[in-house]
């Protein structure tokens, strides 16, 4: 096995078991409340944006509540935006005064986040933008994303990108050395020619590995949500990342490299239509949809990193809380079909999806059926079936109208009426299928 892939496999063992995480986008942009890209979208000059620090009180920030909610939802890891593209830092950096210690809250918000989530036994990660719209040496005029991209008076003359990289490396080193053991770093993002050597990615990853060798990182020093980079090849670079990061979508068939081998990945998706808090966005996904997204990711060998965007006071929106609590109710009964599971290597059934862990196949029945439910691809290999939520027996059936379809095996979810409507759990009824031991 390629050495980079072998080391990646070891580092990501916990991550591939965890399967479900919380993404948290929070910063000054919660005050205008029009999403985290507001400064770029509306081309707001820094002098008109930076005064928001005077209002960033974070007066209701209680990361213990966040952590308890994540745990209740069944999430095993969490990632907070230590710094987003606007350059504002939620941590006590000594390299710029543009941080939460100097804002109205006067707090090291990252430190409190890490302490709270570690206390709940949740793995911790930090998002760090390698883009910085506030730094004077980062390209302004003509950059495709910078708020001042259309302002020729913001010429790039006398801007020293190497000086910017020294600053960027310095802040990353602060996070790696001042906050104890981290589990994950989420770098964001490359675009155009701003990738790989532009970021001195090899030097950066060498620094990261020298300080916290166990740390896993995403693939965006090299790739983006539009291009995964060499992580999909048989010979990935050392900075190709430990997992791919499709954004706001779930890949049609999971992610494998050019040899056909599975690649660790996570779909990062929002609960509504924005990453950062948007006061007018009420387009929330239902708990049922979140459950289906999670199951789909796991069935394709991936993770779901689900985002919440707290408001300027530090409160996770009540709609998000309600959804995550309901997801947690389902996870309380069905998490065995998620944690440690992955590809079943069986074709997707018409009625839902399969996940698998060893000789246990989990049939996620998401659509009610008029009759019996077929189990395809495992005929003659089944030892027993149980409803995962309560361990109640589910019996295979050879009901009279199924006899000409003997290449499959069938079960009823409602044996007394010989049908599978309605589903015991309309969101997703999970049946644990234990295969004969020879299938382990």
């Amino acid at each position: 096995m390629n050495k980079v892939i072998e080391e990646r496999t070891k580092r990501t063992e916990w991550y591939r078991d965890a399967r479900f995480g919380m993404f948290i986008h929070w910063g000054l942009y919660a005050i205008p409340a029009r999403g985290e890209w507001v400064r770029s979208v509306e081309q707001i000059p820094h002098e008109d944006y930076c005064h928001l620090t005077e209002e960033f009180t974070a007066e209701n920030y209680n990361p213990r509540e966040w952590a308890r909610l994540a745990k209740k939802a069944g999430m095993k890891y969490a990632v907070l935006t230590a710094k987003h593209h606007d350059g504002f830092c939620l941590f006590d950096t000594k390299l710029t005064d543009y941080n939460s210690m100097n804002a109205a809250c006067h707090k090291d918000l990252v430190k409190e986040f890490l302490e709270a989530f570690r206390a709940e036994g949740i793995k911790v990660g930090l998002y760090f933008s390698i883009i910085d719209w506030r730094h004077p040496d980062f390209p302004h005029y003509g950059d495709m994303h910078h708020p001042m991209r259309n302002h020729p008076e913001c010429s790039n003359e006398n801007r020293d990108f190497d000086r910017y990289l020294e600053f960027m490396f310095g802040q990353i080193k602060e996070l790696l050395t001042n906050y104890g053991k981290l589990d994950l770093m989420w770098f964001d993002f490359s675009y155009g020619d701003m990738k790989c050597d532009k970021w001195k990615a090899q030097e950066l990853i060498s620094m990261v590995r020298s300080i916290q060798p166990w740390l896993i990182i995403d693939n965006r020093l090299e790739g983006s949500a539009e291009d995964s980079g060499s992580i999909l090849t048989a010979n990935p670079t050392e900075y190709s990342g430990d997992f791919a990061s499709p954004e706001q979508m779930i890949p049609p068939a999971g992610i494998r490299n050019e040899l056909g081998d599975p690649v660790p990945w996570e779909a990062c998706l929002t609960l509504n239509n924005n990453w950062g808090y948007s006061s007018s966005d009420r387009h929330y996904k239902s708990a049922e949809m979140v459950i289906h997204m999670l199951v789909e990711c796991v069935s394709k060998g991936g993770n779901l990193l689900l985002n919440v965007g707290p408001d300027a006071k530090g409160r996770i929106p009540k709609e998000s809380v309600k959804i995550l609590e309901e997801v947690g109710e389902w996870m309380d009964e069905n998490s065995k079909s998620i944690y440690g599971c992955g590809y079943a290597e069986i074709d997707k059934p018409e009625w839902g999806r399969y996940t698998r862990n060893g000789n246990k196949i989990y049939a996620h029945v998401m659509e009610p059926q008029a009759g019996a439910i077929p189990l395809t691809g495992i005929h003659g290999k089944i030892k027993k079936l149980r409803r995962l939520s309560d361990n109640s027996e589910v019996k295979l059936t050879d009901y009279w109208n199924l006899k000409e379809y003997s290449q499959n095996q069938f079960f009823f979810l409602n044996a007394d009426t010989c049908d599978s409507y309605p589903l015991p759990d309309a969101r997703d009824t999970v049946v644990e299928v234990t295969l004969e031991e020879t299938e382990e």
Side-chain angles (χ1 to χ4, degrees):
M1 183 186 291
N2 174 280
K3 183 181 178 182
V4 172
I5 296 175
E6 184 177 4
E7 291 177 349
R8 181 180 78 198
T9 301
K10 291 177 182 176
R11 278 194 298 269
T12 59
E13 183 176 358
W14 72 263
Y15 173 83
R16 289 178 284 114
D17 284 342
R19 291 306 187 205
F20 193 22
M22 174 182 279
F23 216 173
I24 306 166
H25 276 67
W26 192 38
L28 296 183
Y29 41 80
I31 297 173
R34 296 186 294 278
E36 75 293 345
W37 275 70
V38 62
R39 196 185 156 209
S40 175
V41 171
E42 300 179 15
Q43 300 186 42
I44 303 171
H46 175 68
E47 55 269 22
D48 293 340
Y49 185 83
C50 65
H51 70 85
L52 295 175
T53 59
E54 300 166 12
E55 301 179 55
F56 194 64
T57 61
E59 60 198 74
N60 296 122
Y61 177 49
N62 187 341
R64 291 186 177 184
E65 288 184 358
W66 293 8
R68 285 192 289 266
L69 176 63
K71 187 173 184 177
K72 190 173 185 179
M75 292 160 158
K76 292 290 190 178
Y77 63 106
V79 180
L80 173 68
T81 50
K83 184 178 84 167
H84 207 267
H85 309 327
D86 62 1
F88 179 71
C89 302
L90 302 189
F91 62 101
D92 185 11
T93 173
K94 306 304 181 187
L95 300 178
T96 175
D97 60 2
Y98 198 47
N99 64 68
S100 58
M101 296 296 291
N102 295 314
C105 61
H106 301 296
K107 289 182 177 181
D108 187 332
L109 303 170
V110 162
K111 180 182 178 182
E112 293 185 20
F113 160 80
L114 294 173
E115 290 173 350
F117 278 75
R118 285 171 180 147
E120 293 294 339
I122 297 172
K123 299 279 189 181
V124 290
L126 296 175
Y127 168 111
F128 183 89
S129 173
I130 52 180
I131 297 166
D132 191 324
W133 297 329
R134 194 254 185 174
H135 197 279
D137 288 307
F138 193 86
H140 286 43
Y141 180 59
D143 178 85
M144 65 187 294
H145 298 302
H146 199 282
M148 297 295 100
R149 57 189 173 272
N150 296 318
H151 292 255
E153 69 275 15
C154 296
S155 165
N156 293 320
E157 188 177 357
N158 298 322
R159 300 192 194 280
D160 185 341
F161 196 71
D162 282 336
R163 193 161 54 207
Y164 168 69
L165 290 179
E166 182 180 355
F167 166 79
M168 183 187 85
F169 273 57
Q171 287 204 311
I172 294 169
K173 188 172 183 179
E174 285 180 323
L175 291 172
L176 294 175
T177 56
N178 296 343
Y179 292 92
K181 181 180 182 292
L182 302 176
D183 300 292
L184 187 153
M185 281 291 288
W186 222 101
F187 294 117
D188 198 25
F189 67 100
S190 295
Y191 58 99
D193 65 352
M194 304 283 278
K195 61 182 179 181
C196 303
D197 291 342
K198 187 74 172 181
W199 307 121
K200 295 186 178 178
Q202 183 60 56
E203 184 180 334
L204 177 58
I205 200 65
S206 295
M207 182 187 76
V208 170
R209 298 281 179 241
S210 71
I211 300 171
Q212 299 205 25
W214 55 82
L215 194 71
I216 65 172
I217 68 167
D218 64 324
N219 63 324
R220 296 195 181 186
L221 291 176
E222 181 178 74
S224 67
E226 299 175 356
D227 174 15
S228 292
S230 70
I231 196 172
L232 301 188
T233 71
N235 294 290
T237 64
E238 288 188 38
Y239 52 82
S240 61
D242 294 304
F243 61 92
S245 54
E247 183 172 329
Q248 295 291 53
M249 61 88 66
I250 299 173
I255 298 181
R256 298 176 185 265
N257 66 15
E258 61 189 6
L259 300 177
D261 298 325
V263 170
W265 64 272
E266 71 182 12
C268 52
L269 292 113
T270 52
L271 255 179
N272 53 7
N273 282 338
N274 285 271
W275 297 98
Y277 180 69
S278 174
S279 57
S280 62
D281 185 357
R282 293 290 177 266
H283 193 76
Y284 284 90
K285 298 172 179 65
S286 67
E288 179 177 320
M289 184 173 182
V290 171
I291 292 165
H292 288 194
M293 292 181 340
L294 175 59
V295 171
E296 181 178 355
C297 288
V298 175
S299 75
K300 296 174 178 179
N303 292 17
L304 173 62
L305 186 63
L306 187 65
N307 184 75
V308 295
D311 66 19
K313 293 184 176 182
R315 300 172 300 188
I316 294 175
K318 61 181 183 299
E319 297 92 339
S320 298
V321 172
K322 183 178 179 181
I323 292 163
L324 292 179
E325 287 178 341
E326 185 176 342
V327 171
E329 290 174 5
W330 183 88
M331 285 289 283
D332 281 344
E333 297 184 333
N334 298 289
S335 62
K336 279 180 63 179
S337 69
I338 300 298
Y339 304 141
C341 292
Y343 291 107
E345 305 295 355
I346 304 172
D347 289 343
K348 178 187 177 302
E350 293 289 336
W351 37 260
R353 295 187 178 274
Y354 291 121
T355 59
R356 183 172 186 166
N357 188 348
N359 74 321
K360 304 284 190 183
I361 290 180
Y362 297 96
H364 294 262
V365 185
M366 299 173 177
E367 296 183 15
Q369 303 295 297
I373 295 173
L375 291 167
T376 57
I378 50 177
H379 183 272
K381 302 175 182 179
I382 298 171
K383 183 178 180 179
K384 64 180 180 180
L385 283 75
R386 297 289 185 268
R387 275 270 309 282
L388 188 56
S389 62
D390 59 6
N391 205 36
S392 58
E393 183 180 33
V394 177
K395 298 185 70 173
L396 291 171
T397 181
D398 58 357
Y399 200 60
W400 66 270
N401 64 355
L402 306 173
K403 294 188 183 300
E404 69 174 304
Y405 306 103
S406 57
Q407 71 274 24
N408 299 311
Q409 288 181 279
F410 295 83
F411 66 89
F412 292 113
L413 278 171
N414 300 310
D416 54 338
T417 55
C418 297
D419 70 4
S420 299
Y421 176 84
L423 296 180
D425 187 333
R427 299 164 299 194
D428 176 7
T429 299
V430 185
V431 175
E432 182 183 72
V433 182
T434 304
L435 303 182
E436 298 292 345
E437 294 299 322
T438 55
E439 290 296 312
E440 288 188 354

